[in-house]
Amino acid sequence: MSDSSAGAAGDVVAAAASTAAGWRRAGVAGAAIGVLAAGAAAGVAVERLTVGRGMRKKARLALDATGPYGSLRGTPGRAIADDGTELYYEVDEVQPAQPEAGPGPGGNRRRRLFGRKAPAPVTVVFSHGYCLGQDSWHFQRAALRGLVRTVHWDQRSHGHSERGRAQADGVALGIDQLGRDLKAVIDAAVPEGRIVLVGHSMGGMTVMALADQYPDLIRDRAAAVAFVGTSSGRLGEVNFGLPVAGVRAVRRVLPGVLRALGTQAELVEKGRRATADLFAGLIKRYSFSSRDVDPAVARFAERLIESTPIDVVAEFYPAFTEHDKSGALPVFRDLPVLILAGEKDLVTPSSHSEAIADVLPDAELILVPDAGHLVMLEHPETVTDRLADLLVRAGAVAAANVGEHGSTAQQPGRR
């Protein structure tokens, strides 16, 4: 490395150290932030050697302006949770096949016996993860659009859903609450017919909580389930790819750090903007494993995560260490089940998916090489392919109709 390059790399590390020192001076437990910042500094050092800060800012703005990701919209709706929180969802309906022209002025017409009602279509309900939103399923939504009825919803306090009313009143959040929220969305958006449940990370835990509290709903109406990068418990043991000393420090101080930051949300949001490069490095490290991730996709992930306020981040975090839904998994044993994870997932390690498969031995287990936590964005073709196969087994869609990615453009007539 040249002297100038070494000096630039040193500047990066110094900047990270300065950031951590700033947190300490603010009276917040900066040790955890320092551990994470050091890892992020290594991730952005090479970029800073060659690309100026102003140029990176322009590149982010250009990606924000031109990236098609997260642009798909459906018919909006709102469900009401048991504490009164409004939960936002969107429905993409099946596009009816165009009838072939036949003899006579009306062409061929479908005939139905008197009193015979067509069965309700199978509906696929997508639940997103922590600090994300319904748009995190962009590629899968694009591929299935118009071929099968789908529901995409924002978890409470995320996306366009209302801030959790119970949490605003000081009630601690638990994964069980998210399961009840999903039940409210199903009641509103899919009051009848078979359902396929798809959950990523926290969304998968939400599906488990639904099964734990409403096992009859799963037995009576579920046609299949997909768990993507998720866990049934023991998340308190995850090391996030850090050395032992770093893990112990993070586990000890992070809950307090988040609580403190949550009380200073406005100040923290300003800090996030000021240290955008550092947080971009963190997000990339804990979201992806591939080195050749499309910059527009990486920036899209940043936007999703950045949109979650720090007080919401703090509010949800304790629920994960308490999460244990391994006892609910047997409810899914008679269903087609897909369990998929990135082999290099640092947030919900693939060993957690293997633990789910141990309880559900008939499930299809797919571990995607060179993939991190946001596997559905990093390797969308693999996730879409396996999900399409699951939908075929559930009788929801014909395999030949599902493309690898689908169109990323907004369809005419869609809101």
Side-chain angles (χ1 to χ4, degrees), residues 1 3-19 41-42 44-45 48-49 278:
M1 180 179 290
D3 292 342
S4 60
S5 296
D11 291 343
V12 175
V13 176
S18 176
T19 301
V44 301
R48 285 201 173 190
L49 297 179
L278 190 61

Side-chain angles (χ1 to χ4, degrees), residues 17 21 24 35 82 103 110 119 123 168 183 201 219 224 257 282 293 304 338 368 389 399:
R24 285 195 292 271
V35 170
D82 56 3
R110 294 183 178 180
T123 300
K183 174 64 161 54
S201 191
R219 296 188 187 100
V257 169
L282 277 172
V293 175
L304 287 172
L338 169 66
V368 183
D389 183 70

Side-chain angles (χ1 to χ4, degrees), residues 31-405:
I33 300 298
V35 170
L36 297 177
V44 301
V46 174
E47 179 187 9
R48 285 201 173 190
L49 297 179
T50 56
V51 183
R53 183 176 180 180
M55 187 176 296
R56 289 194 304 276
K57 183 176 180 180
K58 290 181 180 179
R60 283 196 296 269
L61 292 174
L63 291 172
D64 289 346
T66 61
Y69 309 121
S71 62
L72 302 179
R73 300 270 65 90
T75 303
R78 294 190 181 273
I80 306 299
D82 56 3
D83 66 345
T85 302
E86 289 190 359
L87 304 169
Y88 178 82
Y89 64 84
E90 293 180 359
V91 179
D92 287 351
E93 299 287 357
V94 177
Q95 294 296 313
Q98 296 298 320
E100 296 180 3
N108 291 334
R109 296 181 182 273
R110 294 183 178 180
R111 300 179 62 187
R112 178 163 55 86
L113 295 176
F114 178 76
R116 185 76 57 84
K117 183 180 179 181
V122 175
T123 300
V124 187
V125 182
F126 287 87
S127 299
H128 69 78
Y130 180 45
C131 298
L132 296 170
Q134 62 172 272
D135 289 337
S136 61
W137 295 106
H138 175 87
F139 288 108
Q140 292 70 43
R141 184 174 188 171
L144 297 173
R145 202 163 169 80
L147 302 176
V148 62
R149 188 174 190 266
T150 60
V151 172
H152 299 261
W153 68 293
D154 290 324
Q155 301 253 24
R156 63 173 50 217
S157 304
H158 290 69
H160 295 289
S161 285
E162 185 183 13
R163 178 68 182 274
R165 294 190 181 185
Q167 285 66 61
D169 292 336
V171 177
L173 180 74
I175 299 297
D176 283 342
Q177 177 64 69
L178 305 184
R180 295 194 296 274
D181 289 352
L182 176 54
K183 174 64 161 54
V185 170
I186 292 172
D187 288 345
V190 202
E192 59 179 351
R194 303 280 278 170
I195 53 177
V196 175
L197 300 165
V198 182
H200 168 250
S201 191
M202 182 178 75
M205 303 173 204
T206 299
V207 172
M208 296 174 201
L210 175 76
D212 191 36
Q213 297 172 93
Y214 307 98
D216 288 343
L217 173 67
I218 303 300
R219 296 188 187 100
D220 295 342
R221 297 188 57 193
V225 63
F227 295 117
V228 179
T230 190
S231 171
S232 59
R234 304 181 69 175
L235 284 168
E237 301 174 7
V238 175
N239 65 16
F240 301 106
L242 297 171
V244 173
V247 173
R248 289 174 178 169
V250 169
R251 287 178 182 163
R252 184 172 63 253
V253 304
L254 188 54
V257 169
L258 289 175
R259 283 195 300 272
L261 297 181
T263 64
Q264 304 179 56
E266 184 175 351
L267 175 64
V268 173
E269 295 307 328
K270 290 181 180 178
R272 286 169 94 177
R273 292 192 292 271
T275 57
D277 291 334
L278 190 61
F279 278 99
L282 277 172
I283 290 170
K284 189 171 183 179
R285 170 170 169 75
Y286 287 100
S287 299
F288 307 110
S289 174
S290 309
R291 293 191 176 187
D292 57 349
V293 175
D294 182 347
V297 172
R299 177 57 190 156
F300 174 50
E302 288 177 36
R303 294 206 319 269
L304 287 172
I305 295 171
E306 288 170 353
S307 67
T308 308
I310 190 63
D311 47 346
V312 173
V313 175
E315 183 176 281
F316 274 67
Y317 180 79
F320 301 119
T321 56
E322 300 169 3
H323 165 64
D324 183 357
K325 286 292 178 281
S326 55
L329 294 177
V331 177
F332 301 108
R333 278 182 177 159
D334 294 331
L335 297 175
V337 176
L338 169 66
I339 305 169
L340 186 148
E343 278 191 346
K344 298 182 180 179
D345 189 334
L346 298 176
V347 180
T348 51
S350 59
S351 59
H352 287 236
S353 289
E354 293 177 303
I356 296 172
D358 288 341
V359 182
L360 302 173
D362 294 330
E364 179 183 25
L365 174 64
I366 302 293
L367 302 183
V368 183
D370 197 25
H373 190 56
L374 298 188
V375 60
M376 67 284 193
L377 293 175
E378 186 173 13
H379 294 286
E381 68 289 344
T382 299
V383 176
T384 299
D385 176 73
R386 302 326 304 153
L387 183 58
D389 183 70
L390 180 73
L391 297 181
V392 170
R393 287 187 282 150
V397 68
N401 292 337
V402 181
E404 289 187 353
H405 299 287

